[in-house]
Amino acid sequence: APAAKMAALGGGGAPWRRGWLPALQLVRRGSKAVTRHWKAMHFQRQKLMAVTEYLAPRPAIPPRCLPPKKERAEEDDGYTRLLRRQVEEVFRDNRMIAICQYNSMPGEDVVLMRHYLRKHNIEVKFVLNEVIRPMLSQSKYKNLLPLFVARNILLVSPELKAKEMLRVLKGVPQINLLGACIDNTILSRQGVENLAKLPSLEVSQGQTVGALALLPSQMSSLLRRGPAHLTALLDEHLRRLRAGGTGSPPQPTPAQGSGGG
Amino acid sequence: KKMASKISVLLRPVKSIVVRFCPFESNVESTRKFLGCISRKKIQATNRNCKVTADVRHDGSEPLVDVMFADGERLIMKGANLTTIEMLTALGFRCKAKALKEEQKSKKSP
């Protein structure tokens, strides 16, 4: 009813001049045009908005009836190329590459572990699976593919220091050794542990040389025994001759026996 | 869809967790991700005494998660055909149930 006062335009009754607009425009409920809460639009505006809503155009042929689009291979960006190049370098330059699963570790532990491994010339590299997988599938390391799932790190080194690496990793429970590629041979965790238990290269070389040299040395000592016996007897004879002067002639039988045997 | 890293598990009723898998097999992805999720700081902080061990083998065996609870119960999850989220929710559900039981017990006793 108060809104009806707005309708007092032109004509008859209380207003005393034509085209009179009421000075006061009373609106129901007392809220202004711009409110902080959501206010319903005027009904006419609602109707206008409903009529002018956006309708997406429908394609003449639904897309599922068309033949499927061939997926274009995504272009590499420079960063992925750089990472791939780095990984290729790593695989080329190092003799020992160990792959470990990385479960989140506190930062200081990571730094400490890196420090201990650096002392043995082992570097720690964080790798992304999506960079490594395509690279591995094309190279000769195809059997390492199933290892690269979930978060991994690589421990690479130009030397073989399996024992020290295992010792450091034992002190870090959050890193699990999965496998390694040592001298182009893929080893499992058990293989790495066995490798660590082997004696070092120099020791095993010495052992092989010793084993190989054993038989010939035995043979040479056997061959030498006869003549050595003969010379010993002759020396003894000479000694007796010099000492006595009446020494009896040497008995030929033992020398002949050892010479023939 | 829930992200595996958002699921939180209270490890208080758990004594130890052993995760066994063979990394050269192809069905170990969910088990490895499960191991990665449990080892996160938040979940480890709920129980410092809970030991998480990873048993890495090469004998073609199935991936396995062996959870030992403090009251003697054992939960074995064979991860070959389970997803990470399923394993985490299963473990979380049981841990919650046990924690509630303990709370009720401790409320009743005094």
Side-chain angles (χ1 to χ4, degrees):
Chain A
K5 284 195 180 175
M6 286 185 1
L9 270 172
W16 42 86
R17 55 180 192 272
R18 283 196 175 258
W20 172 80
L21 271 168
L24 278 170
Q25 292 196 2
L26 292 167
V27 179
R28 253 185 108 127
R29 287 186 174 254
S31 60
K32 304 201 171 100
V34 178
T35 50
R36 287 185 193 185
H37 62 269
W38 178 82
K39 191 171 118 178
M41 291 185 219
H42 196 271
F43 189 61
Q44 284 171 343
R45 191 176 171 204
Q46 272 182 7
K47 281 198 274 190
L48 194 68
M49 299 292 277
V51 163
T52 54
E53 240 182 69
Y54 174 69
L55 285 173
R58 289 172 76 190
I61 309 170
R64 52 198 158 108
C65 295
L66 293 165
K69 267 191 198 172
K70 285 172 207 166
E71 276 185 29
R72 276 170 241 158
E74 282 173 17
E75 290 170 9
D76 292 329
D77 47 321
Y79 188 52
T80 332
R81 258 181 281 146
L82 172 74
L83 289 174
R84 198 175 301 154
R85 234 184 299 144
Q86 281 183 345
V87 172
E88 278 167 14
E89 250 182 67
V90 156
F91 269 93
R92 236 185 304 137
D93 297 339
N94 298 294
R95 277 176 76 191
M96 173 173 88
I97 306 164
I99 303 153
C100 308
Q101 168 145 350
Y102 173 77
N103 305 317
S104 40
M105 250 162 69
E108 309 107 25
D109 285 2
V110 175
V111 171
L112 263 177
M113 186 194 76
R114 273 195 132 128
H115 170 69
Y116 283 127
L117 286 172
R118 248 272 153 241
K119 279 193 176 170
H120 301 299
N121 200 8
I122 303 179
E123 263 193 47
V124 175
K125 299 240 182 236
F126 284 81
V127 289
L128 283 176
N129 293 336
E130 41 203 41
V131 166
I132 278 214
R133 287 192 133 236
M135 208 212 85
L136 284 182
S137 53
Q138 287 159 9
S139 74
K140 55 183 176 169
Y141 300 102
K142 286 204 185 100
N143 292 320
L144 287 174
L145 262 182
L147 285 167
F148 285 97
V149 174
R151 296 188 75 183
N152 300 302
I153 56 173
L154 292 180
L155 306 175
V156 299
S157 157
E159 304 147 22
L160 291 178
K161 294 223 166 152
K163 235 184 280 185
E164 287 85 1
M165 185 179 79
L166 281 177
R167 212 180 299 155
V168 174
L169 288 179
K170 228 190 274 184
V172 186
Q174 294 105 331
I175 295 209
N176 318 116
L177 177 66
L178 302 173
C181 177
I182 300 186
D183 278 340
N184 289 328
T185 331
I186 296 184
L187 295 171
S188 71
R189 195 209 172 101
Q190 199 60 44
V192 176
E193 286 170 6
N194 292 340
L195 179 75
K197 283 187 202 149
L198 287 175
S200 75
L201 193 63
E202 294 89 20
V203 171
S204 44
Q205 275 173 347
Q207 281 179 350
T208 333
V209 164
L212 284 173
L214 184 65
L215 278 174
S217 67
Q218 276 182 345
M219 202 168 72
S220 71
S221 65
L222 260 175
L223 288 173
R224 250 184 266 135
R225 232 179 2 160
H229 194 69
L230 177 61
T231 33
L233 281 171
L234 288 173
D235 279 338
E236 178 63 28
H237 176 60
L238 269 172
R239 200 182 57 81
R240 281 191 193 162
L241 277 177
R242 280 185 200 139
T246 49
S248 53
Q251 284 158 15
T253 31
Q256 276 175 7
S258 58
Chain B
K1 281 196 185 167
K2 259 201 159 176
M3 278 191 59
S5 47
K6 295 259 175 85
I7 303 178
S8 67
V9 176
L10 299 165
L11 287 180
R12 223 177 303 131
V14 174
K15 206 170 19 162
S16 72
I17 302 181
V18 176
V19 183
R20 192 188 319 160
F21 60 90
C22 174
F24 288 93
E25 299 281 321
S26 45
N27 52 2
V28 294
E29 181 176 342
S30 54
T31 319
R32 280 181 69 177
K33 288 203 176 145
F34 176 77
L35 177 63
C37 288
I38 309 184
S39 321
R40 290 169 65 235
K41 259 189 264 180
K42 260 193 194 170
I43 298 186
Q44 286 286 303
T46 57
N47 184 356
R48 295 264 173 214
N49 300 329
C50 173
K51 292 193 185 116
V52 178
T53 13
D55 192 0
V56 178
R57 301 217 180 154
H58 194 45
D59 47 7
S61 56
E62 282 183 9
L64 199 75
V65 176
D66 191 346
V67 186
M68 204 54 176
F69 289 99
D71 52 4
E73 247 189 69
R74 208 170 157 192
L75 170 67
I76 299 186
M77 295 195 274
K78 299 202 177 162
N81 294 318
L82 290 171
T83 64
T84 323
I85 300 183
E86 282 172 13
M87 290 202 267
L88 280 169
T89 38
L91 182 62
F93 172 70
R94 282 173 181 75
C95 288
K96 232 193 232 179
K98 289 205 197 272
L100 277 174
K101 243 197 262 177
E102 272 186 42
E103 268 185 41
Q104 282 171 357
K105 265 195 211 168
S106 61
K107 274 185 195 167
K108 276 186 196 166
S109 36

